[in-house]
Amino acid sequence: NIDGETSELVPLADILSSMKSRVEDDLGKKMIEPVTLKDKVQSSEPVDIYGNPYLVIHALKNIVKNGYLFARRSSSVRPTLELNLDTSCPDGFIRFLVSNNGPAISVAHEPVIFRMGFSSYGRRGTGLNVSQSILREAGGRVILEDHGRESGWVRFSVLLPTQEDSGRSLKESVVL
């Protein structure tokens, strides 16, 4: 029963597996194959996240698809998308990192990157805005952690709750 209100503890591995297959279905192999995927999402113990799995998968899919699209625009010989997991966050959260070595986010675009309708890629410009809204509703958040102008790597950080009440304390306790 998918009603948009189901929240539960779900293994992060299941969320990421489903998200990756949906990204591949959406983009197709021709868009994905030129990009080297460095999947460093490993944890010594299983990690569960709390939320509506369908919505969380959709939000992560949008962010990862965006990473693939921009990695393909890289001037590097090896366009790369890197996925990481940080479990050292404050209690009740994990951090999922999506980085690519595509073009940096410009100073002009940085403040509007999550605005509905904004796109520097010629698309609809809804993915990051929708992902931000979904994650906020689920008690998490997404931020642009590195614009890539110095490092050469654009990085989005997604904070996900690992327990039911994590989201309520997010604003007060977590600084990325």
Side-chain angles (χ1 to χ4, degrees):
N1 181 16
I2 301 173
D3 59 9
E5 295 182 20
T6 304
S7 288
E8 57 189 294
L9 275 175
V10 182
L12 181 63
D14 293 352
I15 294 282
L16 295 178
S17 174
S18 182
M19 176 271 298
K20 288 174 191 175
S21 68
R22 290 177 188 202
V23 167
E24 188 172 316
D25 289 347
D26 282 6
L27 291 178
K29 289 192 182 291
K30 286 185 180 180
M31 290 292 282
I32 290 175
E33 285 176 351
V35 177
T36 299
L37 175 63
K38 292 185 178 181
D39 188 348
K40 299 179 178 182
V41 179
Q42 301 295 324
S43 180
S44 57
E45 33 188 272
V47 176
D48 292 335
I49 61 162
Y50 185 82
N52 180 317
Y54 308 103
L55 295 177
V56 172
I57 289 167
H58 184 72
L60 295 179
K61 177 192 74 161
N62 286 338
I63 296 164
V64 171
K65 274 177 55 177
N66 194 59
Y68 268 112
L69 293 171
F70 278 85
R72 284 182 51 87
R73 298 169 72 188
S74 173
S75 59
S76 167
V77 173
R78 284 194 96 133
T80 304
L81 177 69
E82 188 171 290
L83 306 177
N84 284 299
L85 184 64
D86 176 7
T87 57
S88 66
C89 295
D91 284 345
F93 296 95
I94 57 108
R95 195 165 61 132
F96 179 64
L97 302 158
V98 180
S99 308
N100 72 76
N101 64 346
I105 308 287
S106 73
V107 173
H109 290 170
E110 192 171 346
V112 296
I113 193 110
F114 291 103
R115 185 176 296 161
M116 179 60 85
F118 172 78
S119 175
S120 64
Y121 197 77
R123 298 174 76 103
R124 291 179 303 190
T126 57
L128 289 177
N129 178 271
V130 167
S131 293
Q132 184 182 53
S133 296
I134 288 171
L135 291 167
R136 190 178 302 132
E137 195 66 32
R141 84 169 105 172
V142 58
I143 65 164
L144 174 63
E145 188 173 295
D146 188 342
H147 48 64
R149 292 189 294 272
E150 287 88 30
S151 69
W153 285 87
V154 173
R155 178 175 299 112
F156 286 90
S157 178
V158 180
L159 204 60
L160 298 167
T162 59
Q163 53 197 17
E164 185 172 0
D165 61 353
S166 298
R168 291 187 204 112
S169 61
L170 176 64
K171 293 176 185 151
E172 298 88 31
S173 65
V174 178
V175 177
L176 295 176

